[in-house]
Amino acid sequence: MSSAHKNLSVFSTTGLPDISQKKFAIIVAEWNSEITEALFEGAYQTLVDNGAKAENIIRANVPGSFELSFGSQVFAQKPEIAAVIAIGCVIQGETKHNDYINHAVAGGLTEVALKYNKPVIFGVLTPNNQQQALDRAGGIHGNKGDEAAITAIKMLGLQ
Ligand SMILES: Nc1c(NC[C@H](O)[C@H](O)[C@H](O)CO)[nH]c(=O)[nH]c1=O
Ligand SMILES: CC(=O)[C@@H](O)COP(=O)(O)O
């Protein structure tokens, strides 16, 4: 189902695990910071609204989404971190550069999650243009950051 038919911030929060003692790392790409800051705020606030303590949420910045995999690994390897949320926005340009970034990040984050056996969430927008990004970072289609945070919480419920 496309985002156009589903608000990304409308989801069930019933049956979520207790995260009051869990530590989270949110890795934020600086490219398209207007978007990534909105995604971060959505993820941060959703974690807090669902029981995480502010002091247990660590933020780290990386230059671009391509660096999210390594940035996520730096924190995923820490035993005290329960889950990592990677935040980015890769807007299609004139060349195929965005494709290479997107595929690298998706694969890289998956590798980190499996290597360190903990949730590493793909909170990366891959829009065709700025408006599609704005629509998914607190606009008409909700906030992908909210969704990423809920996903992290739900994945912790599996353990
Ligand atoms: N064009 C976008 C980038 N490009 C930068 C790369 O992510 C990377 O930092 C660079 O290739 C050096 O390794 N990054 C985004 O996050 N979003 C973009 O739209
Ligand atoms: C996705 C990006 O890295 C973007 O800045 C590349 O733009 P372009 O393909 O026009 O060079």
Side-chain angles (χ1 to χ4, degrees), residues 45-93:
Q45 196 56 52
T46 299
L47 289 175
V48 171
D49 290 348
N50 286 280
K53 293 177 180 167
E55 60 264 30
N56 286 341
I57 302 173
I58 299 168
R59 170 177 172 161
N61 293 349
V62 294
S65 292
F66 187 85
E67 285 74 38
L68 286 171
S69 299
F70 184 77
S72 296
Q73 179 172 279
V74 168
F75 288 86
Q77 69 187 353
K78 299 177 183 287
E80 66 272 20
I81 296 295
V84 178
I85 298 170
I87 297 290
C89 177
V90 183
I91 300 177
Q92 184 172 337

